[in-house]
Amino acid sequence: MAKLRVVGGNPLCGSVRASGSKNAAVAAIPAALLAHGPSRLENVPVIGDVEVFVDILRELGADISWRGPGVLEINPNGFEEWQAPYDLVKRLRASYYLLGALLAKFGRAEVALPGGCDIGVRPVDLHLKGFRALGAEVSLEYGVVKARAERLQGATIYLDDASVGATINIMLAACLAEGTTIIENAAREPHVADVANYLNAMGARIHGAGTEFVRIQGVPYLAGGEHTIIPDEIEVGTYMMAAVATGGEICIENAIAKHLEAVAAKLRETGAEVETDGDWIRVKGPSRPRAANVRTLRYPGFPTDLQQPYVSVAARAEGVSVVHETIYENRFAFVSELLRMGAKIKVEGRTAIVQGVERLLGAPVRARNDLRGGAALVVAALAAEGESEIDDLQYIERGYERLDDKLRALGAEVTRVP
Ligand code: EPZ
């Protein structure tokens, strides 16, 4: 397992460029299977989760290859596999998008459930509710979701919770259905609209993606399309947290400031200066952040994926910050590692009470199987005095492209130890 050695305590200064959105890429890749011709995806981040999905599709027989840095070409012609076995899909949670894509393409799909991860149970009941509403027969047998439908029929589907995955999976299934589908209480995250833009470039007729009402008019046919993946707002937000935690001043280019309004507002509350324009964000951290409370919410609220890096900011803030996690039931496991750095945090259910300390001290810590918790440990190590060593680095590299290069570009003293 690779490690990241960090000598912290220095303010980050400099510029980095945001990479393409992981969560948009892992939805666009299976979406390409719906077309009758090749698609070209640009600004695809070269990260663990994307490389795993490329492997999975190759194993299933898809013709998918890198055509240059960040450029993926996917040709679904000749792709006939509608079964995705557990030993393949267990490597990637987002493999559940194969359900919507294969069901739409073949009228049937058998995809093993990828299982949860460290942050919660991760149910898919809303995904299955959507497929059933479209007329599919869906069963769960021995850990495999089996779905089949002679012809998917458009329907109106209300999501009890504005689930990102369910919204995208239903969009994928509804694209080629007969008639119109409406998703009510749909997720509004930026990558929902991004995937819809790509599907529309292929000939789909999706309206309202990015709002709580998405309308999909089924079409008989999708052609291959070209699409450039949007920047990853969670990656950008993570670097913003690192700037504030270290009292540094950084500029993140190729960022869509609008996607981070809640994060910018919160960091201003801690005393940071955040200047934004169309496609860059400049963050100047105070010498020591002030405490500020956070409640994670569905977009456009404060994103759950930045709750963990934010706790690392609060860990050395002046005062007590109350951080409440509304999306997942268990997203504070990483706190046990922060305590090793001298943080003073109490976790009670979905709430962390963070009493900021003047100084964090470097220590050996482990990311375990928690991508954003691992990112939080990197943020804390950059702020901590002395040396830290973060183990299980590949879990962090699942979602952060060229992490060590980008941190070094910001003046951080980091070494990737293979
Ligand atoms: C996506 O996961 C992201 N992953 C997650 O990012 C992100 O945390 C999450 O959206 C919320 O923004 C990808 O896009 C690949 P959800 P997803 O369904 O779609 C309830 C990261 O670090 N729920 O929006 O799986 C349940 O309470 C990852 O990049 C149901 O009840 O998340 C669950 O806790 C982590 N039934 C919550 O929603 C369902 O059928 C999850 O929210 C589905 C969800």
Side-chain angles (χ1 to χ4, degrees), residues 22-23 26 93-94 96-97 119 122-127 161-165 189 191 298 304-305 327-329 331 371-372:
K22 165 179 90 78
N23 292 342
V26 297
R93 268 204 56 74
Y96 51 44
Y97 288 137
I119 57 178
R122 312 294 297 269
V124 291
D125 57 302
L126 295 174
H127 301 232
D161 186 354
S163 157
V164 170
E189 272 71 1
H191 57 279
R298 295 292 184 181
T304 172
D305 292 347
I327 308 292
Y328 292 106
E329 59 271 32
R331 202 165 195 174
L371 163 61
R372 306 300 178 187

PDB file of all heavy atoms in Angstrom, residues 22-23 26 93-94 96-97 119 122-127 161-165 189 191 298 304-305 327-329 331 371-372, ligand 1:
ATOM      1  N   LYS A  22     -14.874  13.301 -10.775  1.00  0.00           N
ATOM      2  CA  LYS A  22     -14.946  11.838 -10.619  1.00  0.00           C
ATOM      3  C   LYS A  22     -16.392  11.373 -10.761  1.00  0.00           C
ATOM      4  O   LYS A  22     -16.674  10.425 -11.484  1.00  0.00           O
ATOM      5  CB  LYS A  22     -14.427  11.435  -9.243  1.00  0.00           C
ATOM      6  CG  LYS A  22     -14.790  10.007  -8.819  1.00  0.00           C
ATOM      7  CD  LYS A  22     -14.231   9.633  -7.463  1.00  0.00           C
ATOM      8  CE  LYS A  22     -15.163   9.961  -6.340  1.00  0.00           C
ATOM      9  NZ  LYS A  22     -16.273   9.030  -6.133  1.00  0.00           N
ATOM     10  N   ASN A  23     -17.315  12.055 -10.067  1.00  0.00           N
ATOM     11  CA  ASN A  23     -18.687  11.553 -10.014  1.00  0.00           C
ATOM     12  C   ASN A  23     -19.441  11.766 -11.316  1.00  0.00           C
ATOM     13  O   ASN A  23     -20.397  11.050 -11.600  1.00  0.00           O
ATOM     14  CB  ASN A  23     -19.405  12.159  -8.810  1.00  0.00           C
ATOM     15  CG  ASN A  23     -18.805  11.630  -7.504  1.00  0.00           C
ATOM     16  OD1 ASN A  23     -18.119  10.610  -7.523  1.00  0.00           O
ATOM     17  ND2 ASN A  23     -19.028  12.322  -6.413  1.00  0.00           N
ATOM     18  N   VAL A  26     -17.748   8.730 -13.658  1.00  0.00           N
ATOM     19  CA  VAL A  26     -18.187   7.357 -13.414  1.00  0.00           C
ATOM     20  C   VAL A  26     -19.645   7.147 -13.815  1.00  0.00           C
ATOM     21  O   VAL A  26     -20.127   6.013 -13.837  1.00  0.00           O
ATOM     22  CB  VAL A  26     -17.966   6.911 -11.960  1.00  0.00           C
ATOM     23  CG1 VAL A  26     -16.491   6.901 -11.620  1.00  0.00           C
ATOM     24  CG2 VAL A  26     -18.755   7.776 -10.983  1.00  0.00           C
ATOM     25  N   ARG A  93     -18.307   1.216  -6.290  1.00  0.00           N
ATOM     26  CA  ARG A  93     -19.712   1.444  -5.929  1.00  0.00           C
ATOM     27  C   ARG A  93     -20.518   1.971  -7.102  1.00  0.00           C
ATOM     28  O   ARG A  93     -21.637   1.570  -7.345  1.00  0.00           O
ATOM     29  CB  ARG A  93     -19.790   2.459  -4.788  1.00  0.00           C
ATOM     30  CG  ARG A  93     -19.791   1.823  -3.430  1.00  0.00           C
ATOM     31  CD  ARG A  93     -20.430   2.745  -2.446  1.00  0.00           C
ATOM     32  NE  ARG A  93     -21.760   3.118  -2.861  1.00  0.00           N
ATOM     33  CZ  ARG A  93     -22.818   2.317  -2.801  1.00  0.00           C
ATOM     34  NH1 ARG A  93     -22.676   1.079  -2.404  1.00  0.00           N
ATOM     35  NH2 ARG A  93     -24.003   2.738  -3.174  1.00  0.00           N
ATOM     36  N   ALA A  94     -19.914   2.822  -7.898  1.00  0.00           N
ATOM     37  CA  ALA A  94     -20.680   3.463  -8.985  1.00  0.00           C
ATOM     38  C   ALA A  94     -21.012   2.478 -10.089  1.00  0.00           C
ATOM     39  O   ALA A  94     -21.715   2.814 -11.042  1.00  0.00           O
ATOM     40  CB  ALA A  94     -19.883   4.628  -9.555  1.00  0.00           C
ATOM     41  N   TYR A  96     -23.133   0.515  -9.989  1.00  0.00           N
ATOM     42  CA  TYR A  96     -24.598   0.305 -10.041  1.00  0.00           C
ATOM     43  C   TYR A  96     -25.211   1.066 -11.228  1.00  0.00           C
ATOM     44  O   TYR A  96     -26.338   0.804 -11.632  1.00  0.00           O
ATOM     45  CB  TYR A  96     -25.293   0.636  -8.733  1.00  0.00           C
ATOM     46  CG  TYR A  96     -25.010   1.991  -8.106  1.00  0.00           C
ATOM     47  CD1 TYR A  96     -24.977   3.175  -8.841  1.00  0.00           C
ATOM     48  CD2 TYR A  96     -24.786   2.086  -6.732  1.00  0.00           C
ATOM     49  CE1 TYR A  96     -24.727   4.392  -8.240  1.00  0.00           C
ATOM     50  CE2 TYR A  96     -24.533   3.312  -6.123  1.00  0.00           C
ATOM     51  CZ  TYR A  96     -24.497   4.456  -6.887  1.00  0.00           C
ATOM     52  OH  TYR A  96     -24.248   5.669  -6.275  1.00  0.00           O
ATOM     53  N   TYR A  97     -24.474   2.007 -11.837  1.00  0.00           N
ATOM     54  CA  TYR A  97     -24.999   2.681 -13.024  1.00  0.00           C
ATOM     55  C   TYR A  97     -25.136   1.708 -14.202  1.00  0.00           C
ATOM     56  O   TYR A  97     -25.843   1.988 -15.172  1.00  0.00           O
ATOM     57  CB  TYR A  97     -24.104   3.853 -13.423  1.00  0.00           C
ATOM     58  CG  TYR A  97     -24.203   5.044 -12.490  1.00  0.00           C
ATOM     59  CD1 TYR A  97     -23.070   5.729 -12.075  1.00  0.00           C
ATOM     60  CD2 TYR A  97     -25.438   5.485 -12.009  1.00  0.00           C
ATOM     61  CE1 TYR A  97     -23.158   6.816 -11.212  1.00  0.00           C
ATOM     62  CE2 TYR A  97     -25.532   6.573 -11.161  1.00  0.00           C
ATOM     63  CZ  TYR A  97     -24.392   7.225 -10.761  1.00  0.00           C
ATOM     64  OH  TYR A  97     -24.468   8.320  -9.914  1.00  0.00           O
ATOM     65  N   ILE A 119     -18.788   4.565   4.885  1.00  0.00           N
ATOM     66  CA  ILE A 119     -19.537   5.724   5.394  1.00  0.00           C
ATOM     67  C   ILE A 119     -21.011   5.422   5.595  1.00  0.00           C
ATOM     68  O   ILE A 119     -21.752   6.240   6.118  1.00  0.00           O
ATOM     69  CB  ILE A 119     -19.368   6.939   4.465  1.00  0.00           C
ATOM     70  CG1 ILE A 119     -19.807   6.607   3.030  1.00  0.00           C
ATOM     71  CG2 ILE A 119     -17.926   7.414   4.479  1.00  0.00           C
ATOM     72  CD1 ILE A 119     -19.708   7.771   2.073  1.00  0.00           C
ATOM     73  N   ARG A 122     -25.551   2.572   2.248  1.00  0.00           N
ATOM     74  CA  ARG A 122     -25.661   2.870   0.800  1.00  0.00           C
ATOM     75  C   ARG A 122     -26.759   2.015   0.150  1.00  0.00           C
ATOM     76  O   ARG A 122     -26.490   1.174  -0.729  1.00  0.00           O
ATOM     77  CB  ARG A 122     -24.321   2.643   0.095  1.00  0.00           C
ATOM     78  CG  ARG A 122     -23.098   3.251   0.756  1.00  0.00           C
ATOM     79  CD  ARG A 122     -23.044   4.760   0.797  1.00  0.00           C
ATOM     80  NE  ARG A 122     -22.983   5.430  -0.477  1.00  0.00           N
ATOM     81  CZ  ARG A 122     -21.852   5.755  -1.117  1.00  0.00           C
ATOM     82  NH1 ARG A 122     -20.707   5.399  -0.603  1.00  0.00           N
ATOM     83  NH2 ARG A 122     -21.874   6.391  -2.268  1.00  0.00           N
ATOM     84  N   PRO A 123     -27.998   2.147   0.538  1.00  0.00           N
ATOM     85  CA  PRO A 123     -29.082   1.366  -0.076  1.00  0.00           C
ATOM     86  C   PRO A 123     -29.312   1.775  -1.531  1.00  0.00           C
ATOM     87  O   PRO A 123     -28.856   2.849  -1.956  1.00  0.00           O
ATOM     88  CB  PRO A 123     -30.292   1.718   0.785  1.00  0.00           C
ATOM     89  CG  PRO A 123     -29.986   3.058   1.330  1.00  0.00           C
ATOM     90  CD  PRO A 123     -28.492   3.103   1.533  1.00  0.00           C
ATOM     91  N   VAL A 124     -29.981   0.938  -2.302  1.00  0.00           N
ATOM     92  CA  VAL A 124     -30.323   1.298  -3.683  1.00  0.00           C
ATOM     93  C   VAL A 124     -31.826   1.161  -3.918  1.00  0.00           C
ATOM     94  O   VAL A 124     -32.281   1.054  -5.054  1.00  0.00           O
ATOM     95  CB  VAL A 124     -29.546   0.439  -4.714  1.00  0.00           C
ATOM     96  CG1 VAL A 124     -28.062   0.787  -4.710  1.00  0.00           C
ATOM     97  CG2 VAL A 124     -29.770  -1.045  -4.465  1.00  0.00           C
ATOM     98  N   ASP A 125     -32.610   1.179  -2.827  1.00  0.00           N
ATOM     99  CA  ASP A 125     -34.069   0.982  -2.971  1.00  0.00           C
ATOM    100  C   ASP A 125     -34.711   2.005  -3.905  1.00  0.00           C
ATOM    101  O   ASP A 125     -35.627   1.677  -4.666  1.00  0.00           O
ATOM    102  CB  ASP A 125     -34.751   1.006  -1.595  1.00  0.00           C
ATOM    103  CG  ASP A 125     -34.463   2.306  -0.847  1.00  0.00           C
ATOM    104  OD1 ASP A 125     -33.271   2.604  -0.622  1.00  0.00           O
ATOM    105  OD2 ASP A 125     -35.408   3.045  -0.535  1.00  0.00           O
ATOM    106  N   LEU A 126     -34.202   3.233  -3.918  1.00  0.00           N
ATOM    107  CA  LEU A 126     -34.809   4.259  -4.778  1.00  0.00           C
ATOM    108  C   LEU A 126     -34.459   4.007  -6.252  1.00  0.00           C
ATOM    109  O   LEU A 126     -35.269   4.268  -7.148  1.00  0.00           O
ATOM    110  CB  LEU A 126     -34.355   5.661  -4.350  1.00  0.00           C
ATOM    111  CG  LEU A 126     -34.826   6.087  -2.962  1.00  0.00           C
ATOM    112  CD1 LEU A 126     -34.222   7.423  -2.556  1.00  0.00           C
ATOM    113  CD2 LEU A 126     -36.347   6.140  -2.896  1.00  0.00           C
ATOM    114  N   HIS A 127     -33.261   3.452  -6.484  1.00  0.00           N
ATOM    115  CA  HIS A 127     -32.906   3.075  -7.869  1.00  0.00           C
ATOM    116  C   HIS A 127     -33.922   2.038  -8.355  1.00  0.00           C
ATOM    117  O   HIS A 127     -34.467   2.139  -9.445  1.00  0.00           O
ATOM    118  CB  HIS A 127     -31.507   2.440  -7.919  1.00  0.00           C
ATOM    119  CG  HIS A 127     -30.380   3.295  -7.409  1.00  0.00           C
ATOM    120  ND1 HIS A 127     -29.245   3.537  -8.135  1.00  0.00           N
ATOM    121  CD2 HIS A 127     -30.199   3.912  -6.219  1.00  0.00           C
ATOM    122  CE1 HIS A 127     -28.414   4.297  -7.434  1.00  0.00           C
ATOM    123  NE2 HIS A 127     -28.961   4.541  -6.269  1.00  0.00           N
ATOM    124  N   ASP A 161     -35.907  10.599  -1.267  1.00  0.00           N
ATOM    125  CA  ASP A 161     -34.693  11.323  -0.883  1.00  0.00           C
ATOM    126  C   ASP A 161     -34.000  11.678  -2.197  1.00  0.00           C
ATOM    127  O   ASP A 161     -33.955  10.861  -3.117  1.00  0.00           O
ATOM    128  CB  ASP A 161     -33.806  10.392  -0.021  1.00  0.00           C
ATOM    129  CG  ASP A 161     -32.592  11.134   0.535  1.00  0.00           C
ATOM    130  OD1 ASP A 161     -32.401  12.309   0.164  1.00  0.00           O
ATOM    131  OD2 ASP A 161     -31.847  10.534   1.313  1.00  0.00           O
ATOM    132  N   ALA A 162     -33.514  12.899  -2.313  1.00  0.00           N
ATOM    133  CA  ALA A 162     -32.958  13.358  -3.600  1.00  0.00           C
ATOM    134  C   ALA A 162     -31.611  12.678  -3.856  1.00  0.00           C
ATOM    135  O   ALA A 162     -30.551  13.313  -3.871  1.00  0.00           O
ATOM    136  CB  ALA A 162     -32.808  14.875  -3.588  1.00  0.00           C
ATOM    137  N   SER A 163     -31.695  11.379  -4.071  1.00  0.00           N
ATOM    138  CA  SER A 163     -30.489  10.570  -4.267  1.00  0.00           C
ATOM    139  C   SER A 163     -29.837  10.853  -5.618  1.00  0.00           C
ATOM    140  O   SER A 163     -30.499  10.777  -6.665  1.00  0.00           O
ATOM    141  CB  SER A 163     -30.863   9.087  -4.195  1.00  0.00           C
ATOM    142  OG  SER A 163     -29.904   8.302  -4.870  1.00  0.00           O
ATOM    143  N   VAL A 164     -28.534  11.136  -5.596  1.00  0.00           N
ATOM    144  CA  VAL A 164     -27.787  11.393  -6.839  1.00  0.00           C
ATOM    145  C   VAL A 164     -27.788  10.147  -7.703  1.00  0.00           C
ATOM    146  O   VAL A 164     -28.157  10.164  -8.878  1.00  0.00           O
ATOM    147  CB  VAL A 164     -26.339  11.820  -6.509  1.00  0.00           C
ATOM    148  CG1 VAL A 164     -25.489  11.858  -7.772  1.00  0.00           C
ATOM    149  CG2 VAL A 164     -26.323  13.159  -5.796  1.00  0.00           C
ATOM    150  N   GLY A 165     -27.417   9.031  -7.097  1.00  0.00           N
ATOM    151  CA  GLY A 165     -27.311   7.786  -7.867  1.00  0.00           C
ATOM    152  C   GLY A 165     -28.627   7.367  -8.459  1.00  0.00           C
ATOM    153  O   GLY A 165     -28.709   6.980  -9.628  1.00  0.00           O
ATOM    154  N   GLU A 189     -27.203  17.944  -7.911  1.00  0.00           N
ATOM    155  CA  GLU A 189     -25.737  18.073  -7.933  1.00  0.00           C
ATOM    156  C   GLU A 189     -25.258  18.398  -9.349  1.00  0.00           C
ATOM    157  O   GLU A 189     -25.862  17.945 -10.339  1.00  0.00           O
ATOM    158  CB  GLU A 189     -25.094  16.776  -7.428  1.00  0.00           C
ATOM    159  CG  GLU A 189     -24.902  16.704  -5.922  1.00  0.00           C
ATOM    160  CD  GLU A 189     -26.205  16.553  -5.146  1.00  0.00           C
ATOM    161  OE1 GLU A 189     -27.276  16.483  -5.758  1.00  0.00           O
ATOM    162  OE2 GLU A 189     -26.164  16.540  -3.900  1.00  0.00           O
ATOM    163  N   HIS A 191     -23.040  17.247 -11.242  1.00  0.00           N
ATOM    164  CA  HIS A 191     -22.747  16.177 -12.201  1.00  0.00           C
ATOM    165  C   HIS A 191     -24.003  15.500 -12.732  1.00  0.00           C
ATOM    166  O   HIS A 191     -23.948  14.806 -13.742  1.00  0.00           O
ATOM    167  CB  HIS A 191     -21.742  15.169 -11.636  1.00  0.00           C
ATOM    168  CG  HIS A 191     -22.118  14.513 -10.364  1.00  0.00           C
ATOM    169  ND1 HIS A 191     -21.938  15.119  -9.142  1.00  0.00           N
ATOM    170  CD2 HIS A 191     -22.631  13.306 -10.112  1.00  0.00           C
ATOM    171  CE1 HIS A 191     -22.332  14.292  -8.201  1.00  0.00           C
ATOM    172  NE2 HIS A 191     -22.765  13.201  -8.759  1.00  0.00           N
ATOM    173  N   ARG A 298     -28.206  18.335   0.796  1.00  0.00           N
ATOM    174  CA  ARG A 298     -28.216  18.070  -0.641  1.00  0.00           C
ATOM    175  C   ARG A 298     -27.834  19.385  -1.351  1.00  0.00           C
ATOM    176  O   ARG A 298     -28.051  20.473  -0.853  1.00  0.00           O
ATOM    177  CB  ARG A 298     -29.618  17.619  -1.080  1.00  0.00           C
ATOM    178  CG  ARG A 298     -30.064  16.279  -0.492  1.00  0.00           C
ATOM    179  CD  ARG A 298     -29.258  15.160  -1.027  1.00  0.00           C
ATOM    180  NE  ARG A 298     -29.694  13.833  -0.588  1.00  0.00           N
ATOM    181  CZ  ARG A 298     -29.063  12.733  -0.970  1.00  0.00           C
ATOM    182  NH1 ARG A 298     -27.995  12.827  -1.722  1.00  0.00           N
ATOM    183  NH2 ARG A 298     -29.480  11.537  -0.573  1.00  0.00           N
ATOM    184  N   THR A 304     -21.813  16.849   1.558  1.00  0.00           N
ATOM    185  CA  THR A 304     -21.348  15.833   2.510  1.00  0.00           C
ATOM    186  C   THR A 304     -19.907  15.410   2.212  1.00  0.00           C
ATOM    187  O   THR A 304     -19.143  15.114   3.139  1.00  0.00           O
ATOM    188  CB  THR A 304     -22.277  14.598   2.498  1.00  0.00           C
ATOM    189  OG1 THR A 304     -21.703  13.565   3.287  1.00  0.00           O
ATOM    190  CG2 THR A 304     -22.512  14.063   1.102  1.00  0.00           C
ATOM    191  N   ASP A 305     -19.506  15.447   0.938  1.00  0.00           N
ATOM    192  CA  ASP A 305     -18.153  14.984   0.583  1.00  0.00           C
ATOM    193  C   ASP A 305     -17.070  15.944   1.060  1.00  0.00           C
ATOM    194  O   ASP A 305     -15.890  15.598   1.045  1.00  0.00           O
ATOM    195  CB  ASP A 305     -18.030  14.785  -0.933  1.00  0.00           C
ATOM    196  CG  ASP A 305     -18.876  13.610  -1.399  1.00  0.00           C
ATOM    197  OD1 ASP A 305     -19.336  12.833  -0.541  1.00  0.00           O
ATOM    198  OD2 ASP A 305     -19.098  13.489  -2.611  1.00  0.00           O
ATOM    199  N   ILE A 327     -26.556  13.191   5.503  1.00  0.00           N
ATOM    200  CA  ILE A 327     -26.720  12.273   4.369  1.00  0.00           C
ATOM    201  C   ILE A 327     -26.332  10.840   4.735  1.00  0.00           C
ATOM    202  O   ILE A 327     -27.016   9.890   4.370  1.00  0.00           O
ATOM    203  CB  ILE A 327     -25.858  12.742   3.154  1.00  0.00           C
ATOM    204  CG1 ILE A 327     -26.139  14.212   2.831  1.00  0.00           C
ATOM    205  CG2 ILE A 327     -26.071  11.822   1.948  1.00  0.00           C
ATOM    206  CD1 ILE A 327     -27.507  14.512   2.282  1.00  0.00           C
ATOM    207  N   TYR A 328     -25.246  10.691   5.472  1.00  0.00           N
ATOM    208  CA  TYR A 328     -24.760   9.328   5.807  1.00  0.00           C
ATOM    209  C   TYR A 328     -24.818   9.104   7.307  1.00  0.00           C
ATOM    210  O   TYR A 328     -24.684  10.044   8.091  1.00  0.00           O
ATOM    211  CB  TYR A 328     -23.323   9.147   5.320  1.00  0.00           C
ATOM    212  CG  TYR A 328     -23.189   9.130   3.821  1.00  0.00           C
ATOM    213  CD1 TYR A 328     -22.659  10.218   3.141  1.00  0.00           C
ATOM    214  CD2 TYR A 328     -23.620   8.027   3.077  1.00  0.00           C
ATOM    215  CE1 TYR A 328     -22.564  10.219   1.767  1.00  0.00           C
ATOM    216  CE2 TYR A 328     -23.517   8.025   1.694  1.00  0.00           C
ATOM    217  CZ  TYR A 328     -22.986   9.116   1.046  1.00  0.00           C
ATOM    218  OH  TYR A 328     -22.894   9.127  -0.315  1.00  0.00           O
ATOM    219  N   GLU A 329     -24.920   7.796   7.651  1.00  0.00           N
ATOM    220  CA  GLU A 329     -25.059   7.493   9.077  1.00  0.00           C
ATOM    221  C   GLU A 329     -23.722   7.305   9.787  1.00  0.00           C
ATOM    222  O   GLU A 329     -23.651   7.245  10.987  1.00  0.00           O
ATOM    223  CB  GLU A 329     -25.942   6.250   9.273  1.00  0.00           C
ATOM    224  CG  GLU A 329     -25.462   4.965   8.615  1.00  0.00           C
ATOM    225  CD  GLU A 329     -25.971   4.808   7.176  1.00  0.00           C
ATOM    226  OE1 GLU A 329     -26.151   5.829   6.478  1.00  0.00           O
ATOM    227  OE2 GLU A 329     -26.164   3.658   6.754  1.00  0.00           O
ATOM    228  N   ARG A 331     -20.149   8.840   8.936  1.00  0.00           N
ATOM    229  CA  ARG A 331     -19.119   9.496   8.143  1.00  0.00           C
ATOM    230  C   ARG A 331     -18.085  10.190   9.027  1.00  0.00           C
ATOM    231  O   ARG A 331     -17.475  11.169   8.615  1.00  0.00           O
ATOM    232  CB  ARG A 331     -19.763  10.460   7.121  1.00  0.00           C
ATOM    233  CG  ARG A 331     -18.823  10.725   5.973  1.00  0.00           C
ATOM    234  CD  ARG A 331     -19.421  11.350   4.757  1.00  0.00           C
ATOM    235  NE  ARG A 331     -18.460  11.175   3.675  1.00  0.00           N
ATOM    236  CZ  ARG A 331     -18.683  11.509   2.403  1.00  0.00           C
ATOM    237  NH1 ARG A 331     -19.831  12.049   2.055  1.00  0.00           N
ATOM    238  NH2 ARG A 331     -17.749  11.290   1.471  1.00  0.00           N
ATOM    239  N   LEU A 371     -12.427   7.481   1.082  1.00  0.00           N
ATOM    240  CA  LEU A 371     -11.810   8.469   0.197  1.00  0.00           C
ATOM    241  C   LEU A 371     -11.751   9.865   0.802  1.00  0.00           C
ATOM    242  O   LEU A 371     -10.683  10.465   0.933  1.00  0.00           O
ATOM    243  CB  LEU A 371     -12.596   8.495  -1.124  1.00  0.00           C
ATOM    244  CG  LEU A 371     -12.414   9.690  -2.038  1.00  0.00           C
ATOM    245  CD1 LEU A 371     -10.972   9.823  -2.475  1.00  0.00           C
ATOM    246  CD2 LEU A 371     -13.318   9.567  -3.250  1.00  0.00           C
ATOM    247  N   ARG A 372     -12.851  10.388   1.252  1.00  0.00           N
ATOM    248  CA  ARG A 372     -12.892  11.787   1.714  1.00  0.00           C
ATOM    249  C   ARG A 372     -12.354  11.882   3.142  1.00  0.00           C
ATOM    250  O   ARG A 372     -11.809  12.900   3.542  1.00  0.00           O
ATOM    251  CB  ARG A 372     -14.307  12.358   1.628  1.00  0.00           C
ATOM    252  CG  ARG A 372     -14.938  12.226   0.259  1.00  0.00           C
ATOM    253  CD  ARG A 372     -14.163  12.936  -0.844  1.00  0.00           C
ATOM    254  NE  ARG A 372     -14.820  12.706  -2.138  1.00  0.00           N
ATOM    255  CZ  ARG A 372     -14.349  13.068  -3.305  1.00  0.00           C
ATOM    256  NH1 ARG A 372     -13.201  13.679  -3.357  1.00  0.00           N
ATOM    257  NH2 ARG A 372     -14.983  12.804  -4.420  1.00  0.00           N
TER     258      ARG A 372
HETATM  259  C1  EPZ B   1     -23.092  10.039  -4.778  1.00  0.00           C
HETATM  260  O1  EPZ B   1     -23.298   8.818  -4.105  1.00  0.00           O
HETATM  261  C2  EPZ B   1     -21.603  10.256  -4.765  1.00  0.00           C
HETATM  262  N1  EPZ B   1     -20.958   9.162  -5.472  1.00  0.00           N
HETATM  263  C3  EPZ B   1     -21.105  10.323  -3.330  1.00  0.00           C
HETATM  264  O2  EPZ B   1     -19.722  10.654  -3.386  1.00  0.00           O
HETATM  265  C4  EPZ B   1     -21.823  11.448  -2.596  1.00  0.00           C
HETATM  266  O3  EPZ B   1     -21.448  11.414  -1.229  1.00  0.00           O
HETATM  267  C5  EPZ B   1     -23.329  11.262  -2.710  1.00  0.00           C
HETATM  268  O4  EPZ B   1     -23.724  11.134  -4.099  1.00  0.00           O
HETATM  269  C6  EPZ B   1     -24.103  12.430  -2.116  1.00  0.00           C
HETATM  270  O5  EPZ B   1     -23.725  13.614  -2.762  1.00  0.00           O
HETATM  271  C7  EPZ B   1     -21.033   9.155  -6.825  1.00  0.00           C
HETATM  272  O6  EPZ B   1     -21.604  10.035  -7.446  1.00  0.00           O
HETATM  273  C8  EPZ B   1     -20.344   8.011  -7.500  1.00  0.00           C
HETATM  274  P1  EPZ B   1     -26.948   9.391  -2.679  1.00  0.00           P
HETATM  275  P2  EPZ B   1     -24.783   8.145  -4.078  1.00  0.00           P
HETATM  276  O7  EPZ B   1     -27.816   8.290  -3.130  1.00  0.00           O
HETATM  277  O8  EPZ B   1     -25.501   8.492  -5.313  1.00  0.00           O
HETATM  278  C9  EPZ B   1     -30.062   7.632   0.698  1.00  0.00           C
HETATM  279  C10 EPZ B   1     -17.447  10.415  -3.014  1.00  0.00           C
HETATM  280  O9  EPZ B   1     -16.718  10.486  -2.019  1.00  0.00           O
HETATM  281  N2  EPZ B   1     -30.459   6.669  -0.347  1.00  0.00           N
HETATM  282  O10 EPZ B   1     -27.146  10.735  -3.258  1.00  0.00           O
HETATM  283  O11 EPZ B   1     -24.626   6.722  -3.706  1.00  0.00           O
HETATM  284  C11 EPZ B   1     -29.333   6.943   1.855  1.00  0.00           C
HETATM  285  O12 EPZ B   1     -29.682   7.637   3.017  1.00  0.00           O
HETATM  286  C12 EPZ B   1     -18.770   9.700  -2.914  1.00  0.00           C
HETATM  287  O13 EPZ B   1     -17.173  10.892  -4.143  1.00  0.00           O
HETATM  288  C13 EPZ B   1     -31.547   5.839  -0.115  1.00  0.00           C
HETATM  289  O14 EPZ B   1     -32.155   5.887   0.954  1.00  0.00           O
HETATM  290  O15 EPZ B   1     -25.418   8.934  -2.845  1.00  0.00           O
HETATM  291  C14 EPZ B   1     -27.864   7.197   1.552  1.00  0.00           C
HETATM  292  O16 EPZ B   1     -27.114   7.371   2.759  1.00  0.00           O
HETATM  293  C15 EPZ B   1     -19.049   9.225  -1.495  1.00  0.00           C
HETATM  294  N3  EPZ B   1     -31.947   4.975  -1.083  1.00  0.00           N
HETATM  295  C16 EPZ B   1     -27.882   8.499   0.800  1.00  0.00           C
HETATM  296  O17 EPZ B   1     -29.149   8.597   0.149  1.00  0.00           O
HETATM  297  C17 EPZ B   1     -31.318   4.907  -2.299  1.00  0.00           C
HETATM  298  O18 EPZ B   1     -31.737   4.124  -3.171  1.00  0.00           O
HETATM  299  C18 EPZ B   1     -26.770   8.502  -0.245  1.00  0.00           C
HETATM  300  O19 EPZ B   1     -27.033   9.610  -1.094  1.00  0.00           O
HETATM  301  C19 EPZ B   1     -30.203   5.748  -2.522  1.00  0.00           C
HETATM  302  C20 EPZ B   1     -29.794   6.623  -1.537  1.00  0.00           C
END
